[in-house]
Amino acid sequence: MNPIPEPISREMSGGETLVSADERETISAAGDGDSEEASTSDERERKLMESPPSDDVCPICFGNFVVPCRAPCGHWYCGSCILQYWNFSAALQPCKCPMCSQRITKLIPEASLYQRRQSEISKVLRSVGDYNRLFMGGISGFVLKFLAFPLYIKRTFREMLNPDRPGVYLHEMRIIAMFIGLLYSFVPFDFLRIGRGNIIDLFDYSAFALSFILYLVGLYLRWKRERNIRELVDMPEGRD
């Protein structure tokens, strides 16, 4: 009679299980396959962190990436596109990601860009570096914000002239006006001759008036730009 083959695994005394060599090889192969899949996934994630997907485009210009930069949320943009987008956002705050609205406190350029010597790439990388240093914490960030104060004033004034956002900084203007009125009340000279009790109300009303005047100026500037554009468009037709 043929000998009865031993089972692949049998239970030993004490509840332990004896595993055959074939089963051990199967388990080892499965473990190797899992580790290879995990390493492949890690490699794919690492590549996505270092460079944008090859089949993707910039969500702002819908073109191929030029000086691609990654936001902390993982979305990629052209360096110049995301900086221009920030120029039309709040002046004193980091840019918000157009895709997920998460604040972009740091832009990470593609690693290979630092090896290139083109002037345009270097210019965008410098701008990205200035943006990152501007919103970094600590004393360095505070010093950079102080040095960039004229830029903040310019951008804030441009936003106040935007007729699509009337009174965008009215609340801040009223606070500044009331603070100036409070300081004036402690000045020994009352050169406005309206009484110290009414000085805070005067500055508060002045903030409303200034906001309305800036709104009218913004409307006029927009009308002037649109008129110039119409003249440029109609100019070839008049020559024909």
Side-chain angles (χ1 to χ4, degrees):
M1 296 179 62
N2 296 329
I4 301 174
E6 295 183 358
I8 295 177
S9 63
R10 61 180 180 273
E11 187 175 347
M12 299 178 63
S13 60
E16 297 181 355
T17 302
L18 181 62
V19 181
S20 66
D22 294 339
E23 198 169 29
R24 285 198 299 270
E25 292 179 359
T26 303
I27 295 174
S28 177
D32 294 341
D34 293 340
S35 62
E36 291 178 359
E37 292 179 359
S39 61
T40 304
S41 178
D42 294 341
E43 182 70 17
R44 189 183 301 111
E45 291 180 359
R46 185 182 65 81
K47 289 182 178 180
L48 289 176
M49 295 289 286
E50 293 181 353
S51 60
S54 58
D55 57 347
D56 200 1
V57 296
C58 174
I60 297 178
C61 66
F62 298 104
N64 295 328
F65 290 101
V66 179
V67 192
C69 296
R70 179 175 58 85
C73 56
H75 294 117
W76 287 87
Y77 301 95
C78 298
S80 57
C81 289
I82 192 63
L83 290 176
Q84 289 180 10
Y85 181 81
W86 172 65
N87 286 332
F88 291 95
S89 60
L92 303 178
Q93 297 178 0
C95 174
K96 287 186 178 181
C97 175
M99 301 295 291
C100 64
S101 298
Q102 180 178 335
R103 293 197 179 278
I104 301 177
T105 55
K106 185 178 182 181
L107 288 170
I108 304 174
E110 186 179 9
S112 62
L113 294 174
Y114 293 100
Q115 301 175 359
R116 304 180 185 179
R117 301 298 181 183
Q118 291 88 338
S119 59
E120 291 297 328
I121 295 178
S122 300
K123 182 179 179 181
V124 175
L125 290 179
R126 285 195 299 269
S127 300
V128 170
D130 293 340
Y131 176 89
N132 292 337
R133 288 190 295 270
L134 193 61
F135 293 108
M136 65 186 298
I139 299 177
S140 300
F142 177 78
V143 172
L144 287 172
K145 289 183 178 64
F146 179 78
L147 295 176
F149 187 73
L151 175 62
Y152 286 145
I153 295 297
K154 181 179 179 180
R155 291 189 57 197
T156 301
F157 186 73
R158 185 178 60 190
E159 291 178 14
M160 293 170 66
L161 291 174
N162 186 1
D164 294 330
R165 304 178 64 188
V168 60
Y169 286 108
L170 179 59
H171 179 70
E172 291 80 357
M173 292 171 61
R174 293 186 63 190
I175 293 177
I176 295 174
M178 287 187 289
F179 179 73
I180 295 175
L182 185 63
L183 291 179
Y184 180 84
S185 62
F186 291 100
V187 175
F189 304 102
D190 185 14
F191 55 87
L192 294 178
R193 304 293 182 181
I194 60 172
R196 298 184 181 275
N198 301 323
I199 191 65
I200 295 179
D201 293 335
L202 173 65
F203 281 99
D204 190 22
Y205 296 149
S206 300
F208 280 99
L210 179 60
S211 178
F212 183 70
I213 292 173
L214 292 175
Y215 171 72
L216 295 178
V217 172
L219 287 177
Y220 171 75
L221 293 177
R222 170 180 287 183
W223 171 81
K224 188 175 180 180
R225 286 194 300 266
E226 291 177 351
R227 187 188 64 178
N228 293 336
I229 292 173
R230 286 194 299 267
E231 290 178 353
L232 292 175
V233 172
D234 297 338
M235 188 177 299
E237 296 180 358
R239 290 180 179 177
D240 294 339

